[in-house]
Amino acid sequence: MSQRLAGKVALLTGGGAGIGAAAAALFCEEGARVVLVDMDSAALERTAAAVRDKTPGAGVRVLAGDVADPATATRAVELCQASGGLDVLVNNAAMRNYASFADATPEEWHAVVGVNMVGNANFCRAALPLLRQSGKGAIVNVSSCYAVKSRKGMALYDATKAAMIAMTRTLAFEEVGHGVRANVVCPGSTLTDFHVNRTVKAGKSVEELRTQRQETSLLGRWADPREIAYPILWLASDEASFITGTTLVVDGGLHIK
């Protein structure tokens, strides 16, 4: 590895599984110390153990908590401070909802907005003082290809993921004078633990699941979480030092279908 994040401290939400866990592993391989946040404490411990197993001596700290609660963001940043500061924030935690616009209740809207928008804002607000001190701070927000590509059945999720792009552009404008870059990654269909567990609970075959999504990208397959982690890593690194306010769509070509 090239040690792109050598000496840096990164804070990642949604780090218990999927894209967040893949990014945590990759960041540590590239020299970073990481603080991982997730609602699922057991998943966090599994991720941390896997990272340490792959990268002996990796600096990994975990915090179980709800990103919609600003106190969680405050505690996470305190852990970063104890680890030496903060250079990178990856807002990856997300909440799904399958209601249509016609059926979604105000309570459902508040819950999804609380995680996907307010949660991100909580972590940005808490992290910015340390990111500014870094001198080369980077925020990478993980949105979705469906923020730019329409579909039905995921109204709340897709709307909040689209709002994340606008939030990030505003961040890029507001923080450029403080040396903080802000960018968005929009993943396509990614075969994460979420999809595997959902398939198992439904009594369906995981092997059959792996053959699906042939119509949701030009490449005709799912992405592996690590394939999304690499673009996140790049935008977080100094290699992307001239990039801010950008939306990087990593969807295997779905957005041009």
Side-chain angles (χ1 to χ4, degrees), residues 50-203:
V51 169
R52 294 184 185 114
D53 183 62
K54 188 166 187 179
T55 306
V60 185
R61 296 190 178 203
V62 299
L63 174 66
D66 182 358
V67 299
D69 180 359
T72 300
T74 299
R75 291 196 298 271
V77 170
E78 288 171 350
L79 284 178
C80 294
Q81 181 86 71
S83 296
L86 182 59
D87 304 282
V88 177
L89 169 64
V90 179
N91 282 309
N92 173 66
M95 180 179 183
R96 289 172 174 267
N97 183 293
Y98 297 93
S100 66
F101 271 111
D103 298 328
T105 66
E107 292 75 18
E108 287 176 306
W109 272 107
H110 283 301
V112 177
V113 169
V115 173
N116 296 359
M117 292 178 62
V118 177
N120 287 345
N122 287 338
F123 273 77
C124 288
R125 183 176 62 253
L128 278 170
L130 289 185
L131 290 172
R132 290 169 176 175
Q133 289 178 25
S134 166
K136 291 184 177 180
I139 297 172
V140 183
N141 290 326
V142 181
S143 179
S144 167
C145 65
Y146 290 106
V148 297
K149 176 80 172 179
S150 300
R151 62 175 169 176
K152 62 180 181 180
M154 292 282 285
L156 283 68
Y157 180 85
D158 293 353
T160 52
K161 287 295 188 176
M164 190 184 298
I165 295 176
M167 291 170 64
T168 305
R169 289 174 177 167
T170 299
L171 265 174
F173 269 107
E174 292 183 350
E175 293 304 315
V176 65
H178 299 287
V180 179
R181 297 181 297 106
N183 293 290
V184 184
V185 169
C186 291
S189 297
T190 307
L191 190 55
T192 63
D193 297 337
F194 171 83
H195 294 291
V196 171
N197 294 337
R198 192 162 176 252
T199 296
V200 171
K201 287 180 181 178

Side-chain angles (χ1 to χ4, degrees), residues 33-46:
R33 299 185 298 282
V34 301
V35 173
L36 307 178
V37 180
D38 200 285
M39 285 281 287
D40 189 334
S41 59
L44 279 173
E45 293 299 337
R46 287 193 297 271

